[in-house]
Amino acid sequence: MCAAEVRNVFISSTTRDLWQYREVATEVLRSVSDTFTGRFILAPVSMDNQSQTGDPTTPLDESRAWVRDRCDWVVLIVAWNYGFVPDGQTCSVTENEYEQALASNKPCFKFVPGELSDAPKDQYRALERSVETVNLVDWRGPPDNPDRPEGLARFKQKLRGDLAALFCDIQDFRAKLQRALSQRIISELFQTLGPEIVDLGLQPPLQACIHEVKLLARLKRMHDSLHRIRQFGVRTWREELVADWPDDGEPSRAAERKYNRGLSETLEQRGTLKGLAQDLPPEVKSALPMDELLGHEFLDVPDCGKEAFVDSVLDFATYVQLLFTGCDDQMKASAKRLRANYDHLAGITLGVLDRRQIPPDRETALRAELQRSIEHQNRLQGALSNHNDWQAVHDDFERIDDSIEDQPPGEDDRARDRRLNKFRRSVAALLVSKGSGVRDLLGAATTMALQDTHGRLGPWPELILKVGTDLDAFLQTPDVERYETMRKDFDDLFFQIDEETLAVVVSAEDRVRAIELGLQGKGLNTAPGSP
């Protein structure tokens, strides 16, 4: 058994405002250590037994010594409290600790809360007090130290320039710290294993797996951008703008504003798609119908008129759907190649281990990494398989949607009967199966929600219940209105499922990226929160 690597990790922050974050950081260090059982231990160290909030008897030199001599890594958290500035100093104790970490060349994982000027997803919003006891923005008030606002602003600007990670709440902080520490450990482990991996010929099949995971992550991000276009653009225009737009008049100003918000999101995501597609392999790029979606021109509302607008939205929705399913098809092909590459890599690695071609300590480490890679591979393939199941039902619903006439039949009984009969033929398979495909998805989503230990899947139970209730109502009375209610709630839940799938794929990408940097003998310099 090889000796475990140990890293003493100093937690640096002010205490009165960030005590709960310090506790979470300690929990994460222990959790990550458990994940890498016997191979990598993270030992939290801090000056919690010393005052960092203004006790003039605490020597600043002691604080620096903890960073310089008693730790290997530093976790730094800075919010809206600059902290104590000792007499004769221009910087707070916390900033001095950061400067000492830089001077000592210690890896430092840096975290600051998002400001109102940041992207909405990064803006700090405290969770309910049962989860996040202290609202950090309460510390924006009058300072105890007159120099604090200027010093704090300067310090946080410096940290942002040094690629500090932004967090929006304490759970987000927990996840990002865990991600950054895990990436660093994987990178260091593979720096140690690198010579054996190269000498034993494991690098080519490993690199093939790395390439495929990176491709999967790019395709999944494209799929996610398309889903956001569907959710916040196309759906809003169909369900709210068109419904609010009289045939012989104009839509309300509120509906126009919603259209413009959806258009802004759509244009942003379309730009993201264009950037993501640039580095795709030629054979993958040629299989995706990008030109029509990227070249679509949006009409001026309401000057274009309702009829022209409806036609334009239908055309654009068709392009989105074609690319949506195209990305999914390419993801399935990539996942299949990844499975084959991984099986090849695992087979070679097991052969090496069975022949005991490497020293015992390296053999133990390689076996442990092989076991971890099996767990990660199974998690990734499971998430992708679940995603494919949701996508298949979604595509079936798309075909049903195409059978529904855009204009209601009005008072014409024959037109109403014709529309209903056409619709019922399109949903025949759904009725015969009693919605078994949808119910299977809801069962899998329920299991995922029950296994969630960090509250990330909070909205799921309500959405699962709504879709199940909608499905029962539709099966009892299979008309267009009940179908459309079910479809809307299904889309909302699928969007949540898609975001969770993206998180799993990004986690896999983080891992292979850390492995690649470790094999190259490089530090992990650009990971969120890392040095």
Side-chain angles (χ1 to χ4, degrees):
M1 180 71 178
C2 60
E5 296 278 352
V6 179
R7 297 291 182 271
N8 292 319
V9 184
F10 183 80
I11 302 172
S12 174
S13 76
T14 50
T15 304
R16 286 183 295 169
D17 55 327
L18 291 168
W19 61 269
Q20 190 177 7
Y21 278 74
R22 296 170 68 87
E23 290 181 353
V24 166
T26 301
E27 292 170 9
V28 170
L29 293 174
R30 290 172 178 153
S31 172
V32 172
S33 290
D34 290 343
T35 301
F36 293 88
T37 305
R39 288 172 296 145
F40 222 100
I41 297 172
L42 301 181
V45 297
S46 69
M47 289 182 60
D48 284 348
N49 60 323
Q50 310 255 353
S51 172
Q52 298 185 57
T53 59
D55 182 354
T57 65
T58 302
L60 183 59
D61 287 345
E62 178 70 10
S63 170
R64 290 171 176 156
W66 277 80
V67 176
R68 184 183 63 246
D69 304 327
R70 305 177 195 177
C71 79
D72 303 294
W73 297 353
V74 175
V75 171
L76 174 70
I77 319 161
V78 178
W80 285 283
N81 177 22
Y82 188 43
F84 174 62
V85 179
D87 291 339
Q89 297 289 322
T90 58
C91 297
S92 69
V93 170
T94 304
E95 186 171 359
N96 268 286
E97 290 170 351
Y98 178 57
E99 292 297 333
Q100 183 62 63
L102 295 180
S104 305
N105 200 28
K106 299 290 176 73
C108 186
F109 303 84
K110 307 168 287 291
F111 296 88
V112 297
E115 305 279 358
L116 293 175
S117 56
D118 291 312
K121 66 182 179 62
D122 294 323
Q123 293 174 9
Y124 173 78
R125 297 175 295 277
L127 299 174
E128 60 183 44
R129 291 196 179 274
S130 62
V131 179
E132 187 163 358
T133 306
V134 176
N135 189 332
L136 300 182
V137 296
D138 291 344
W139 289 83
R140 284 174 169 164
D144 299 327
N145 188 319
D147 296 329
R148 193 178 73 172
E150 294 77 12
L152 178 63
R154 172 181 42 75
F155 185 25
K156 291 174 76 173
Q157 189 64 35
K158 181 195 304 181
L159 293 176
R160 283 172 173 261
D162 290 346
L163 302 179
L166 303 180
F167 60 85
C168 63
D169 55 49
I170 199 164
Q171 297 289 31
D172 189 38
F173 166 76
R174 180 193 298 272
K176 287 178 176 174
L177 176 58
Q178 184 163 1
R179 173 187 176 191
L181 293 171
S182 297
Q183 283 183 273
R184 179 80 194 196
I185 290 174
I186 293 167
S187 179
E188 293 203 8
L189 286 172
F190 274 85
Q191 284 187 46
T192 303
L193 289 170
E196 277 78 16
I197 288 173
V198 173
D199 292 344
L200 296 169
L202 300 178
Q203 190 164 8
L206 177 57
Q207 197 63 51
C209 292
I210 290 172
H211 168 79
E212 216 60 63
V213 171
K214 287 181 175 180
L215 176 58
L216 266 169
R218 186 169 291 269
L219 288 167
K220 187 67 196 76
R221 286 187 172 94
M222 292 179 67
H223 189 275
D224 186 67
S225 285
L226 289 161
H227 211 156
R228 296 188 72 82
I229 289 174
R230 286 179 50 83
Q231 193 77 356
F232 303 116
V234 173
R235 269 191 66 183
T236 300
W237 302 338
R238 280 177 163 176
E239 295 172 9
E240 299 187 31
L241 183 60
V242 173
D244 185 68
W245 196 334
D247 294 336
D248 55 353
E250 295 184 350
S252 68
R253 299 295 296 175
E256 282 189 58
R257 286 193 292 271
K258 288 182 180 179
Y259 167 73
N260 288 326
R261 283 197 296 270
L263 180 60
S264 176
E265 174 78 15
T266 296
L267 292 175
E268 179 182 343
Q269 296 302 330
R270 193 165 69 166
T272 299
L273 282 166
K274 186 176 181 179
L276 289 169
Q278 286 180 348
D279 294 328
L280 289 174
E283 66 276 11
V284 174
K285 190 173 182 179
S286 64
L288 297 175
M290 297 283 298
D291 293 343
E292 290 82 1
L293 184 142
L294 295 178
H296 182 80
E297 295 186 8
F298 295 94
L299 303 180
D300 292 330
V301 173
D303 297 345
C304 62
K306 180 179 180 179
E307 185 175 351
F309 175 75
V310 169
D311 288 341
S312 176
V313 170
L314 287 174
D315 288 344
F316 184 65
T318 300
Y319 306 147
V320 172
Q321 177 62 20
L322 285 172
L323 191 52
F324 199 54
T325 55
C327 284
D328 185 63
D329 289 341
Q330 291 302 313
M331 286 170 58
K332 283 187 280 191
S334 180
K336 184 177 180 180
R337 292 192 299 269
L338 175 61
R339 172 62 74 183
N341 291 335
Y342 174 77
D343 289 346
H344 178 54
L345 171 64
I348 295 175
T349 305
L350 284 172
V352 167
L353 293 171
D354 290 343
R355 291 190 296 272
R356 299 187 180 278
Q357 294 177 245
I358 57 177
D361 60 334
R362 295 289 196 267
E363 178 187 342
T364 300
L366 194 55
R367 284 189 185 278
E369 282 310 308
L370 178 61
Q371 182 57 43
R372 274 183 59 78
S373 70
I374 290 172
E375 295 168 1
H376 279 269
Q377 175 69 196
N378 290 341
R379 180 173 181 243
L380 176 61
Q381 293 287 351
L384 292 171
S385 176
N386 181 60
H387 164 82
N388 292 338
D389 293 341
W390 279 86
Q391 182 76 41
V393 173
H394 162 84
D395 292 345
D396 287 341
F397 284 165
E398 280 290 315
R399 287 185 280 273
I400 294 173
D401 292 347
D402 291 341
S403 74
I404 301 174
E405 298 174 10
D406 292 323
Q407 295 298 325
E411 301 298 323
D412 188 331
D413 290 339
R414 285 186 299 178
R416 186 182 296 109
D417 290 342
R418 185 175 64 250
R419 182 185 192 235
L420 182 58
N421 289 335
K422 181 180 178 183
F423 170 72
R424 284 180 173 169
R425 285 193 293 271
S426 72
V427 299
L430 183 62
L431 295 173
V432 169
S433 70
K434 294 182 171 49
S436 60
V438 178
R439 295 194 193 283
D440 288 345
L441 296 179
L442 296 180
T446 300
T447 299
M448 292 172 67
L450 290 174
Q451 293 173 345
D452 173 36
T453 58
H454 295 305
R456 292 183 300 104
L457 310 184
W460 285 28
E462 182 179 353
L463 284 171
I464 292 168
L465 180 61
K466 287 178 69 175
V467 176
T469 302
D470 295 341
L471 178 61
D472 290 339
F474 167 73
L475 293 174
Q476 184 174 357
T477 309
D479 57 26
V480 173
E481 290 72 23
R482 285 176 175 79
Y483 165 79
E484 289 182 335
T485 297
M486 178 189 67
R487 176 63 202 271
K488 291 175 184 176
D489 289 333
F490 176 91
D491 278 354
D492 289 339
L493 183 53
F494 182 26
F495 185 75
Q496 297 286 332
I497 295 287
D498 226 9
E499 288 196 324
E500 181 62 15
T501 306
L502 178 63
V504 174
V505 174
V506 168
S507 175
E509 183 188 35
D510 287 343
R511 176 173 167 78
V512 301
R513 181 172 170 271
I515 290 172
E516 191 171 42
L517 288 171
L519 292 176
Q520 294 169 356
K522 298 178 180 179
L524 200 60
N525 294 323
T526 57
S530 67

